[in-house]
């Protein structure tokens, strides 16, 4: 069965510091991995995805994520956090061979960036 | 913003009411989804439609009834709901099928539903 774990309910960082939001996954076959962000009272916004190729994926708003197959991880990173990055972040996985579009989401991590 | 719109944005209903949520996508996609987002719980996939055909129903109670009249529109009909059905209901769309590299799901802003 597919699953996604985001081990931290909340991550706190100071503005200007690097941030990491962790994600590990379990899926049979090749994974397709995604990060989404949700601001209060809004839907999910797509940040980036890994399908194949370079393990370091760059996305919107200066975010990037590194796919690590041996550790089954896909951590979200940003070199310098902004207060405006404060939001709820979701990692999601899909089995690569699936054609149903079914995404499995983690429970979400709240990122709090303090000035 | 993302090409997926949802109406209404907020809905309060009694347990005996019947209401419908509407979703429209302007992205030319062929698949649409309903998700439920409750506090402290991961997003739950409810229904999937590919080319207007329902391909997934994740054991959703029959008081939720989806309808997909065409690939751009998706409805969720609600009747005799329970207070525990109060949540944010999110619609998404994507382009699926064949040997395409899987496309991304794009989400609407959601409908905040409160059942009294």
């Amino acid at each position: 069965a597919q699953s996604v774990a985001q081990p931290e309910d909340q991550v706190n960082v100071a503005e200007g510091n690097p941030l990491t939001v962790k994600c590990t996954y379990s899926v049979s076959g090749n994974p397709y991995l995604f990060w989404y962000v949700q601001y209060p009272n809004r839907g999910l916004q797509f940040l980036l995805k890994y399908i194949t190729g370079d393990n370091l994926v760059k996305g919107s708003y200066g975010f990037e994520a590194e796919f690590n197959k041996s550790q089954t991880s896909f951590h979200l990173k940003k070199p310098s956090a902004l207060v405006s990055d404060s939001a709820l972040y979701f990692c999601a996985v899909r089995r690569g061979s699936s054609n149903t579009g079914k995404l499995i989401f983690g429970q979400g991590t709240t990122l709090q960036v303090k000035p | 913003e993302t090409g997926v719109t949802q109406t209404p944005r907020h809905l309060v209903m009694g347990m005996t009411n019947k209401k419908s949520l509407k979703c429209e996508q302007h992205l030319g996609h062929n698949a649409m989804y309903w998700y439920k987002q409750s506090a402290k719980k991961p997003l739950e996939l409810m229904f999937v439609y590919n080319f207007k055909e329902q391909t997934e129903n994740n054991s959703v109670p029959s008081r939720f009834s989806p309808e997909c009249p065409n690939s751009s529109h998706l409805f969720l009909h609600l009747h005799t709901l329970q207070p525990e059905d109060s949540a944010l209901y999110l619609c998404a769309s994507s382009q699926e099928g064949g040997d395409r590299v899987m496309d991304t799901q794009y989400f609407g802003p959601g409908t905040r539903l409160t059942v009294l």
Side-chain angles (χ1 to χ4, degrees), chain A residues 28-66:
Chain A
S28 57
N30 294 322
Y32 291 171
L33 294 153
F34 299 80
W35 276 101
Y36 287 85
V37 60
Q38 186 177 33
Y39 297 97
N41 300 313
R42 305 281 288 275
L44 275 67
Q45 294 180 35
F46 168 70
L47 278 180
L48 51 80
K49 66 182 177 185
Y50 171 83
I51 303 295
T52 186
D54 195 347
N55 289 346
L56 185 62
V57 178
K58 294 189 183 297
S60 308
Y61 312 119
F63 284 93
E64 57 189 29
E66 186 166 13

Side-chain angles (χ1 to χ4, degrees), chain B residues 56-107:
Chain B
E56 189 123 2
N57 174 340
N58 270 7
S59 303
V60 180
S62 59
R63 57 186 183 269
F64 295 92
S65 174
E67 178 190 1
C68 188
N70 55 61
S71 58
S72 298
H73 293 87
L74 185 64
F75 294 89
L76 189 62
H77 303 299
L78 316 171
H79 64 98
T80 59
L81 295 191
Q82 305 298 311
E84 60 264 28
D85 296 323
S86 299
L88 182 68
Y89 288 85
L90 293 164
C91 174
S93 72
S94 69
Q95 184 66 22
E96 299 293 327
D99 294 329
R100 288 175 59 94
V101 174
M102 198 262 324
D103 210 341
T104 302
Q105 288 185 24
Y106 292 93
F107 284 78

